Amino acid sequence: MNPQKFYVTTAIDYVNAAPHLGHAYERTGADALARFHRQRGDDVFFLTGTDENATKNEQAAREKGVPTQAFVDELAAEFRRLCDVYQITYDRFIRTSVDEDHKKGVQEFVRRWIANGDVYRGTYEGYYCVGCEAFYDESDLVNGQCPLHPNRQIQHIKEENYFFRLSKYEKALKELYAKDPEFTVPETRRNEVLGWLDRGLKDISVSRGRSLEWGIPWPGEPGHTVYVWFDALINYVTGVGFGSDEKKFAKWWPADVHVIGLDISRFHCLYWPAMLLAAGVPVPKKVFVHGFLENKGGKLSKSSGNVWDPFAFLEEYGVDAARYLLLREAPFEKSSAISAESFATRFNADLANDLGNLVSRTTTLLEKFSDGRVPEPHEGDSERALRERAVRTLKEHDEAATKLYFADALASVFALVSEANQHFQRTQPWQLVKDESKGRELAGSLYAGIEAVRLAGYLLYPYTPNISAKICALLGVTAPDVARWQDVGKWGVLKPGDPIKTGPALFPRLEKVTA
Ligand SMILES: [Zn+2]
């Protein structure tokens, strides 16, 4: 594929509580995508950050007796630390209460709505959930409460503020989805969005009038702030220069994909494209709605908490395995039940056994039977089967990763790993070495095995970057973050005579399986 610009975002998170494993999951998925595109030669911009202008932060800070800014600074730092320990390679970590270019860009965005006649003053009367910081229609409520916060009393409020003419964009949104059905993926999420669209769109309140000092001022209206959801959505354009650096903005916008969770698809798949159209800005190319991590069999309760705390989870498994387990055990495109047992089982089966054993046995076989050097290739039936598996994996992996189906992408890499292990069982180099007339077969078996290891090593880079780098170092090949894919992403790259090293186990087996 030709190198292109690629702009990926995560949702920016509310800083009202410490990060949980779901935050690590979303960022790890977006990071795998960013690394995958960089590895294929694309020019990538990866935006993440924190959503800090919620009025409830002001209330929470007041209750704690600290300044609002200090309160959000502390929580935002935890989200940034989460990114750092999970080795999330963001290009920018945007903070909506701190970054002046964001505040300026939001006001410019709103000014364009005003100029376009798309906002008006009105009285809002209806339901408001403080947990969501969102308005609900009566028809949205479940048993009279917020569908996401059934135990929290929803408020009935009446206030004067500005409304955005969402209804005006109903037709344009229908056209958008007719023209580009893949605007929202996967299909289950799109169908949900189309259902909302079919029921019709009402104008929505986009400012807050009764508060307070926290938030981005509404242009020309003292005492009003931009309602936090809208200020947050606008981060996707201000993060790459809207309203402050038009050259940068022209380079990166439209976003290639917004990666979000399923609880915020209405905002991203309906409101956001309408907001952009009203501001005269092109819509993004795609919204990918990932699933949620769900508790399997009640075993991941708060009392067994280590699995839900993303820092403890990382501590337990290490960064590579933590990233791998999240994306392999919980397919990004749907909600998945996870458990401590299934993580431990997966760790041992895939990482300690299949991959760890393959790397260690292959490098050891080369050390013993080939003087620690790459032997001459020679292709028999088993080598051909392994090469064909590798070629299939290269194609399957990239197709799945492009769609953000990371569990499928990883399954294809591990199909190659497994085929390489079977290849050694079939060819038995430890037997071939006893027969002097089988020198060519021995060399061919080892060559195919080490090529499979090399390709698996490179393919794993988006998910397990440190392990990928270690495999490349053992093989003495270019590090995965700098190798050119057209040079390394194919079969038959290792040269006979190149030295190979052996090293310690990549993933020592977990003996104690935590329950
Ligand atoms: Zn709610």
Side-chain angles (χ1 to χ4, degrees):
M1 56 199 199
N2 292 325
Q4 289 168 342
K5 76 90 189 170
F6 191 83
Y7 175 31
V8 53
T9 68
T10 68
I12 55 172
D13 290 305
Y14 265 162
V15 290
N16 61 341
H20 58 71
L21 197 58
H23 295 114
Y25 179 56
E26 176 170 309
R27 284 167 163 80
T28 300
D31 185 61
L33 186 70
R35 288 176 185 264
F36 166 67
H37 277 274
R38 282 191 212 106
Q39 193 182 28
R40 297 301 178 279
D42 289 342
D43 190 6
V44 173
F45 195 91
F46 177 11
L47 180 72
T48 190
T50 39
D51 172 7
E52 305 178 356
N53 291 321
T55 49
K56 67 182 166 192
N57 288 334
E58 189 169 32
Q59 290 151 15
R62 204 174 280 169
E63 280 160 25
K64 274 187 83 180
V66 296
T68 312
Q69 191 66 61
F71 175 80
V72 302
D73 284 353
E74 197 177 313
L75 281 162
E78 277 298 279
F79 280 87
R80 197 192 288 257
R81 184 165 77 89
L82 180 78
C83 284
D84 293 341
V85 296
Y86 275 82
Q87 299 185 359
I88 305 305
T89 53
Y90 57 81
D91 293 285
R92 178 171 181 185
F93 191 102
I94 194 167
R95 292 194 53 199
T96 59
S97 79
V98 173
D99 294 355
E100 290 302 326
D101 61 339
H102 172 70
K103 298 181 193 175
K104 199 175 146 214
V106 167
Q107 292 191 321
E108 170 60 19
F109 204 92
V110 171
R111 262 184 229 111
R112 290 207 193 176
W113 286 349
I114 296 168
N116 211 21
D118 279 335
V119 288
Y120 59 91
R121 253 190 118 107
T123 303
Y124 177 81
E125 186 170 2
Y127 294 92
Y128 187 77
C129 173
V130 178
C132 297
E133 293 256 12
F135 298 105
Y136 284 99
D137 285 337
E138 190 143 20
S139 64
D140 295 323
L141 303 185
V142 176
N143 300 324
Q145 298 299 341
C146 168
L148 301 177
H149 295 97
N151 299 320
R152 194 161 195 158
Q153 185 57 47
I154 201 153
Q155 297 177 3
H156 188 265
I157 62 165
K158 186 174 178 181
E159 68 176 35
E160 172 122 329
N161 42 34
Y162 284 97
F163 280 72
F164 171 66
R165 293 190 198 278
L166 181 63
S167 58
K168 179 177 156 187
Y169 291 93
E170 190 175 313
K171 189 160 167 270
L173 290 173
K174 285 181 173 161
E175 282 165 8
L176 168 69
Y177 276 97
K179 201 174 103 229
D180 183 9
E182 304 244 304
F183 180 77
T184 293
V185 286
E187 196 181 358
T188 45
R189 297 301 154 208
R190 171 165 71 249
N191 290 338
E192 198 172 44
V193 171
L194 293 178
W196 294 325
L197 193 50
D198 274 345
R199 276 188 267 153
L201 299 179
K202 285 189 210 148
D203 295 349
I204 44 175
S205 162
V206 286
S207 76
R208 304 300 303 277
R210 53 183 166 164
S211 64
L212 305 174
E213 278 159 22
W214 194 245
I216 297 180
W218 186 271
E221 183 73 46
H224 263 72
T225 53
V226 179
Y227 171 34
V228 61
W229 264 104
F230 297 91
D231 133 37
L233 285 162
I234 296 168
N235 98 87
Y236 299 130
V237 291
T238 59
V240 288
F242 177 86
S244 63
D245 184 345
E246 291 309 315
K247 204 172 149 209
K248 184 177 183 186
F249 185 60
K251 174 175 178 184
W252 294 108
W253 193 259
D256 290 83
V257 60
H258 293 315
V259 175
I260 62 158
L262 57 88
D263 54 335
I264 53 178
S265 55
R266 188 195 298 247
F267 282 88
H268 283 79
C269 305
L270 294 177
Y271 302 175
W272 177 230
M275 289 165 64
L276 287 161
L277 291 171
V281 178
V283 300
K285 291 185 192 161
K286 201 178 284 299
V287 180
F288 181 92
V289 186
H290 68 76
F292 276 170
L293 304 178
E294 287 168 359
N295 194 337
K296 181 151 99 190
K299 291 214 166 153
L300 289 184
S301 62
K302 271 181 194 152
S303 55
S304 76
N306 63 342
V307 171
W308 288 121
D309 173 2
F311 298 104
F313 182 67
L314 192 96
E315 194 94 329
E316 186 173 3
Y317 282 105
V319 59
D320 286 77
R323 291 168 57 107
Y324 177 79
L325 293 173
L326 285 173
L327 296 179
R328 183 69 180 92
E329 276 291 295
F332 213 42
E333 67 276 14
K334 59 188 180 195
S335 291
S336 306
I338 55 167
S339 70
E341 291 92 332
S342 63
F343 281 139
T345 305
R346 176 70 73 181
F347 177 93
N348 278 337
D350 289 8
L351 299 178
N353 291 353
D354 287 357
L355 178 65
N357 282 351
L358 177 68
V359 173
S360 114
R361 91 197 292 192
T362 310
T363 51
T364 304
L365 285 168
L366 264 88
E367 182 180 55
K368 280 185 169 166
F369 301 153
S370 186
D371 293 331
R373 294 194 176 270
V374 176
E376 288 284 341
H378 171 71
E379 195 169 284
D381 288 346
S382 184
E383 289 77 19
R384 185 176 316 116
L386 183 53
R387 174 173 56 78
E388 285 170 1
R389 175 67 254 180
V391 171
R392 237 179 8 259
T393 288
L394 285 167
K395 183 167 175 284
E396 287 169 1
H397 171 274
D398 281 23
E399 282 170 5
T402 300
K403 285 167 65 185
L404 290 77
Y405 283 33
F406 301 119
D408 290 349
L410 285 165
S412 183
V413 177
F414 275 78
L416 172 62
V417 168
S418 165
E419 181 69 25
N421 277 318
Q422 288 168 39
H423 160 72
F424 285 131
Q425 291 308 320
R426 290 192 301 254
T427 54
Q428 309 235 330
W430 46 93
Q431 296 296 342
L432 293 173
V433 76
K434 295 176 186 166
D435 183 344
E436 293 227 338
S437 71
K438 299 280 187 194
R440 224 157 55 118
E441 284 79 0
L442 172 64
S445 167
L446 298 179
Y447 184 87
I450 199 76
E451 260 299 276
V453 168
R454 185 188 63 81
L455 275 175
Y458 278 118
L459 284 163
L460 285 169
Y461 169 72
Y463 319 96
T464 60
N466 307 291
I467 288 298
S468 173
K470 274 188 193 172
I471 293 173
C472 289
L474 289 175
L475 273 52
V477 295
T478 315
D481 54 337
V482 292
R484 280 163 29 113
W485 190 252
Q486 56 266 49
D487 297 337
V488 301
K490 58 191 177 190
W491 184 263
V493 168
L494 284 169
K495 296 273 178 305
D498 286 351
I500 300 291
K501 286 186 281 199
T502 56
L506 295 179
F507 293 102
R509 206 183 148 77
L510 290 182
E511 294 305 336
K512 184 178 70 92
V513 173
T514 38

